[in-house]
Amino acid sequence: MKYKINSTRQFIPIKFAILTVSDTRSKKDDKSGDTLEKLMQNDGHKIVKRQIIHDDRELIAKTLLEWSSDEKIEAIITTGGTGLTGRDVSVEAHRDIYDKEIDAFSTIFAQVSVEKIGTSAVQSRACAGIKNGTFLFALPGSPSACKDGWTEILSKQFDYRHMPCNFVELLPRLLENDRRK
């Protein structure tokens, strides 16, 4: 077994924000945002903010900066804008603001995608990083990619009981070098 659940640890809900990046989606047809919200809530987490914005690099970066400074938000997941077209700028906006990039997330997401969609996985540029002590993840805009990213990777890393390690136990330490005593 590659990992296990430590049943002596209590589950800790995380406060998430979901940002859908799209020029065409509205609240009525944001299936990717709906998928993420449902999966996260079913796992016991809280959604404290959800919004849809246009594919605009500066607007995405500005929103991520604002949200990552909000103490009520511990992790942000964006959906959309990770492809290869000219309008796909979520990855660039994310990387513009990261304090640290979580390189292995892209690799593991690609591995999961290959299992599901074969070589079409090369067209996705999912990424992750940290800003202001907040985790940020950029997932593709398809509901199935959001489901795969959550169920195969993020649900495990955002479960404090997941062993040998997880993102939850890192949260209190993300800003340790920025704190003045």
Side-chain angles (χ1 to χ4, degrees), residues 1-7 156 159-166:
M1 181 186 282
K2 296 177 186 173
Y3 70 92
K4 64 180 181 173
I5 296 293
N6 181 342
S7 59
K156 295 167 181 65
D159 188 335
Y160 181 62
R161 303 166 300 174
H162 182 269
M163 302 304 287
C165 57
N166 58 74

Side-chain angles (χ1 to χ4, degrees), residues 126-170:
C127 66
I130 299 166
K131 180 65 180 177
N132 296 325
T134 303
F135 287 105
L136 290 86
F137 300 89
L139 293 174
S142 79
S144 61
C146 289
K147 180 179 182 250
D148 293 342
W150 180 259
T151 59
E152 302 292 330
I153 306 166
L154 296 175
S155 68
K156 295 167 181 65
Q157 282 297 297
F158 282 107
D159 188 335
Y160 181 62
R161 303 166 300 174
H162 182 269
M163 302 304 287
C165 57
N166 58 74
F167 288 146
V168 180
E169 60 195 2
L170 294 178

Side-chain angles (χ1 to χ4, degrees), residues 10-178:
Q10 185 174 356
F11 179 82
I12 299 172
I14 300 301
K15 296 173 278 189
F16 281 93
I18 301 169
L19 182 64
T20 299
V21 178
S22 175
D23 288 334
T24 60
R25 295 266 186 335
S26 69
K27 287 184 179 185
K28 291 181 182 178
D29 64 357
D30 181 16
K31 293 179 182 173
S32 295
D34 291 343
T35 297
L36 285 168
E37 183 170 0
K38 180 181 176 185
L39 290 168
M40 289 190 270
Q41 287 177 332
N42 286 346
D43 281 351
H45 299 291
K46 298 178 184 346
I47 309 305
V48 296
K49 193 170 280 199
R50 183 171 167 193
Q51 187 176 335
I52 300 171
I53 61 173
H54 292 291
D55 292 279
D56 178 283
R57 185 174 177 170
E58 288 180 19
L59 178 60
I60 297 164
K62 178 183 173 193
T63 304
L64 292 172
L65 277 171
E66 179 185 312
W67 287 12
S68 68
S69 297
D70 185 336
E71 291 182 9
K72 291 179 269 179
I73 298 172
E74 296 170 306
I76 302 166
I77 299 180
T78 65
T79 173
T82 64
L84 302 173
T85 72
R87 296 293 298 156
D88 292 321
V89 294
S90 289
V91 174
E92 288 76 14
H94 271 252
R95 289 183 172 147
D96 285 346
I97 67 157
Y98 286 161
D99 293 328
K100 292 184 178 186
E101 189 160 359
I102 305 170
D103 300 315
F105 179 77
S106 301
T107 303
I108 293 174
F109 186 84
Q111 289 174 332
V112 168
S113 295
V114 167
E115 297 278 325
K116 308 283 182 163
I117 60 172
T119 60
S120 295
V122 302
Q123 295 184 35
S124 174
R125 299 180 305 133
C127 66
I130 299 166
K131 180 65 180 177
N132 296 325
T134 303
F135 287 105
L136 290 86
F137 300 89
L139 293 174
S142 79
S144 61
C146 289
K147 180 179 182 250
D148 293 342
W150 180 259
T151 59
E152 302 292 330
I153 306 166
L154 296 175
S155 68
K156 295 167 181 65
Q157 282 297 297
F158 282 107
D159 188 335
Y160 181 62
R161 303 166 300 174
H162 182 269
M163 302 304 287
C165 57
N166 58 74
F167 288 146
V168 180
E169 60 195 2
L170 294 178
L171 270 170
R173 298 181 53 212
L174 294 180
L175 292 174
E176 62 192 0
N177 285 337
D178 293 340

